[in-house]
Amino acid sequence: MYDFKTINGLIELAQKEELSIPEVVILREQELSERSEAEIRELMKKNLKVMKEAAQKGLEKDDLTSISGLTGGDGRLLAEAEKDGKSLIGAVISQAVAKALAIAEVNAAMEPIVAVPTAGSCGILPAALLTVAEKYEKKEEEVIDALFVASGIGLAIAQQASVSGAEGGCQAECGSAAGMAAGAVVYLMGGDHNQLASAVAISLKTVLGLVCDPVAGLVEVPCIKRNATGASNALVAAEMALAGIESVIPVDEVIVAMKKVGDALPNELKETSLGGLAATPTARKIENELTLNN
Amino acid sequence: MSKLSLLDIIGPIMLGPSSSHTAGAVRIGNLAREIVAEEIEEVKFHLHGSFKETYQGHGTDKALLGGLLGLSTADPKIKNAFELAEEKGIEFDYLPVELDGVHPNTAKLEIKDRTDKTTTIVASSVGGGSVVIKQIDGINVDLNGEYHTLITLHQDKPGVMAKISRVLEEDELNIAFMKVLREYKGALATAVIELDHNLTTKKLRAIKEIAEIKEARIIKPVK
Ligand code: SF4
């Protein structure tokens, strides 16, 4: 049985069986789905392809707008500024942020994306992972392995807490996505198990309590920009962990804390658009305008 | 709940923007298409709760319709669902509704097919793209579209279920889940039987030949 409920459980299983984390995650899926390893890898390859296409579309299309007309084009704007040498924070983070915006904008424009873990947070993992993979010229198979690492992390979070904004607030969506991305990047860069666990813990800790408050109920404001900060969060956490910085609170305790915080959040702040940014005067105005236009 | 697959975490591949309001809506349309199983002439989507509030911004309207036309959650053609439906001569309309005691993301579909029959389906999108068909023609069913499902309408007499089970057993079909509902006290009952594998046309015929069975249909799972 290759099953695990926690990140620690996943790491222990890998150590005991002398397997890599992607191997454990794939074996678990084989047992669960009766699919072969080749089939599972093929499905992941397809996911990667859609991620790349979404990033490209978001960065290149010059008339990208959401159905509501509220958002679109910001990823491109940032990518152009970076190309013009105007980046303040450096190429890797700037490019990752641009990609995260671009993919989230593609999502809002009703184009194909991969929900990781959800559609609302779909930009974070691909943006962080693809940017690092490009910079360090990682092979496709390595990136696919990193995606399996990300799914292992996501599974541990989903089983101990939640990956849905309606259940746990945005910490559960954009937070989990950042945790998955941070761990995947550490794996891709050859970090060890402790570093991986610390990266996930650090990225989750920084967004603990983040509420889900989509303006007018649409997955656009603040979601798209939270994808941007989610990608940078993942890279900052990975950078720290790879340098040997540890999380004082172990990762699974952080996940359980996130679950408790999520439970304590009032309904107003869990995707109902009754509180937070969704209840600001400007948000209400946007909401009214959208209703009138309809 | 069944165990989470890694494909629930990385995936599905879908059209944005929302797994519940877009991908889930497509799957509701897909299942409704399976249930009706006839060429569709006209459909009215009665939208409740959050579906009613945000259906245009989330593309729920196109998603429901596209699903009904048989498009999958990842098919870019969903964006053109209105045009596609018009080409096929299907009339469609979206109306607000207040339903009692249902999930906030719920739609009631009133579908008229080319045989002039109208089917009413109540379905909810319950998160992450998962959906539940709550009612078909006023009968509670609770279908999630993950299995091959046999739905019967039969006279509520002792021994009917045993007869159905016997037919299924001959084919070594595993029953994943079974529920019998008595909506019309003493007269008619509905059985919802989720199966691991599909039922052959022959077996379906054998079930329909059971004297007490009024109607039987099989609904294929949707991805
Ligand atoms: S604010 Fe809510 S809807 Fe938007 S990304 Fe965060 S969890 Fe998802």
Side-chain angles (χ1 to χ4, degrees):
Chain A
M1 280 287 289
Y2 290 97
D3 202 12
F4 56 88
K5 291 269 174 299
T6 61
I7 306 252
N8 210 19
L10 170 58
I11 290 174
E12 274 173 7
L13 199 57
Q15 277 162 347
K16 199 177 97 214
E17 304 285 332
E18 294 179 13
L19 294 166
S20 71
I21 291 193
E23 282 169 337
V24 175
V25 174
I26 292 171
L27 281 165
R28 178 189 181 276
E29 191 69 18
Q30 277 178 263
E31 285 178 354
L32 189 70
S33 67
E34 290 165 20
R35 286 191 174 103
S36 71
E37 183 187 342
E39 280 174 282
I40 296 169
R41 293 196 79 91
E42 197 48 45
L43 286 168
M44 199 55 104
K45 195 170 162 182
K46 226 166 117 195
N47 283 333
L48 179 61
K49 185 166 166 269
V50 175
M51 288 175 184
K52 285 184 180 162
E53 287 168 353
Q56 200 180 2
K57 198 178 285 166
L59 290 173
E60 285 174 6
K61 221 171 167 240
D62 55 10
D63 58 346
L64 191 74
T65 22
S66 63
I67 319 168
S68 72
L70 266 183
T71 54
D74 287 351
R76 206 164 168 251
L77 206 60
L78 184 61
E80 277 168 9
E82 194 270 322
K83 265 191 217 133
D84 290 347
K86 291 189 200 141
S87 173
L88 190 65
I89 53 178
V92 171
I93 294 216
S94 187
Q95 286 168 8
V97 168
K99 270 197 204 83
L101 289 170
I103 297 170
E105 286 172 334
V106 161
N107 178 55
M110 213 177 182
E111 300 281 344
I113 52 95
V114 189
V116 279
T118 61
S121 55
C122 68
I124 296 172
L125 171 65
L129 198 59
L130 293 176
T131 307
V132 172
E134 270 165 36
K135 158 125 185 158
Y136 294 97
E137 296 176 1
K138 297 289 180 189
K139 291 196 208 77
E140 182 171 58
E141 284 308 307
E142 294 176 280
V143 180
I144 291 173
D145 272 346
L147 285 174
F148 284 113
V149 173
S151 17
I153 297 164
L155 282 168
I157 299 175
Q159 291 177 97
Q160 296 182 85
S162 163
V163 294
S164 132
E167 268 175 67
C170 200
Q171 55 167 8
E173 276 193 23
C174 287
S176 301
M180 289 160 59
V185 166
V186 166
Y187 182 84
L188 188 67
M189 295 310 294
D192 64 24
H193 290 157
N194 279 337
Q195 291 172 330
L196 189 153
S198 276
V200 180
I202 294 168
S203 54
L204 282 180
K205 288 195 296 187
T206 54
V207 290
L208 221 58
L210 189 64
V211 304
C212 170
D213 48 356
V215 169
L218 304 177
V219 193
E220 296 189 54
V221 181
C223 317
I224 292 174
K225 294 192 184 93
R226 280 190 190 152
N227 274 266
T229 46
S232 63
N233 171 7
L235 291 175
V236 171
E239 174 109 333
M240 281 195 261
L242 285 167
I245 298 175
E246 289 182 3
S247 172
V248 175
I249 311 294
V251 62
D252 291 306
E253 289 184 36
V254 176
I255 295 173
V256 173
M258 179 173 102
K259 154 90 174 135
K260 288 185 180 158
V261 171
D263 289 346
L265 283 178
N267 255 337
E268 284 75 13
L269 301 174
K270 289 194 265 197
E271 220 180 274
T272 53
S273 297
L274 296 170
L277 295 171
T280 54
T282 302
R284 292 296 181 221
K285 210 175 111 213
I286 292 173
E287 209 171 64
N288 283 336
E289 278 163 12
L290 287 176
T291 327
L292 285 182
N293 287 345
N294 290 343
Chain B
M1 203 174 88
S2 59
K3 257 172 83 175
L4 273 180
S5 152
L6 67 84
L7 300 168
D8 297 320
I9 302 291
I10 309 248
I13 295 171
M14 56 170 271
L15 286 202
S18 158
S19 44
S20 50
H21 289 69
T22 319
V26 176
R27 296 190 75 230
I28 288 178
N30 289 160
L31 275 170
R33 178 187 171 86
E34 276 295 318
I35 293 165
V36 171
E38 289 287 345
E39 293 252 345
I40 292 162
E41 195 169 290
E42 191 190 335
V43 53
K44 288 197 182 92
F45 298 99
H46 303 269
L47 305 174
H48 168 88
S50 173
F51 266 12
K52 175 171 69 191
E53 307 299 336
T54 66
Y55 73 96
Q56 280 164 320
H58 277 134
T60 309
D61 44 4
K62 293 173 183 155
L64 285 167
L65 188 61
L68 201 58
L69 296 171
L71 304 178
S72 77
T73 48
D75 195 328
K77 287 203 287 292
I78 287 182
K79 274 181 113 171
N80 312 102
F82 295 163
E83 292 81 10
L84 284 174
E86 273 156 22
E87 271 167 34
K88 294 196 166 153
I90 299 172
E91 282 180 50
F92 54 93
D93 202 359
Y94 304 89
L95 308 152
V97 71
E98 261 318 305
L99 300 169
D100 269 345
V102 294
H103 188 281
N105 300 329
T106 297
K108 184 166 128 186
L109 285 62
E110 226 182 297
I111 303 165
K112 197 171 129 202
D113 62 39
R114 304 257 186 231
T115 68
D116 254 355
K117 187 171 162 252
T118 300
T119 309
T120 309
I121 296 165
V122 178
S124 307
S125 178
V126 296
S130 302
V131 304
V132 180
I133 302 283
K134 302 298 285 181
Q135 276 190 359
I136 302 174
D137 292 336
I139 300 168
N140 295 325
V141 287
D142 259 330
L143 276 182
N144 61 17
E146 279 166 28
Y147 296 92
H148 295 272
T149 308
L150 172 69
I151 301 185
T152 67
L153 182 68
H154 57 259
Q155 286 168 341
D156 192 9
K157 286 187 186 156
V160 183
M161 289 318 296
K163 286 186 196 168
I164 296 173
S165 311
R166 223 167 292 137
V167 176
L168 297 178
E169 259 165 34
E170 285 167 21
D171 246 13
E172 290 182 11
L173 278 161
N174 259 328
I175 296 179
F177 175 81
M178 177 158 90
K179 185 155 109 177
V180 185
L181 301 139
R182 293 179 176 80
E183 293 288 324
Y184 317 96
K185 277 164 218 115
L188 290 175
T190 284
V192 179
I193 305 169
E194 293 182 334
L195 303 163
D196 278 354
H197 300 285
N198 199 3
L199 202 63
T200 57
T201 326
K202 214 173 116 210
K203 287 291 157 190
L204 184 61
R205 211 179 310 129
I207 289 191
K208 283 183 177 165
E209 277 163 7
I210 299 171
E212 292 87 350
I213 300 264
K214 293 237 161 264
E215 248 180 67
R217 55 181 151 195
I218 189 90
I219 296 167
K220 287 200 289 282
V222 298
K223 290 225 180 69

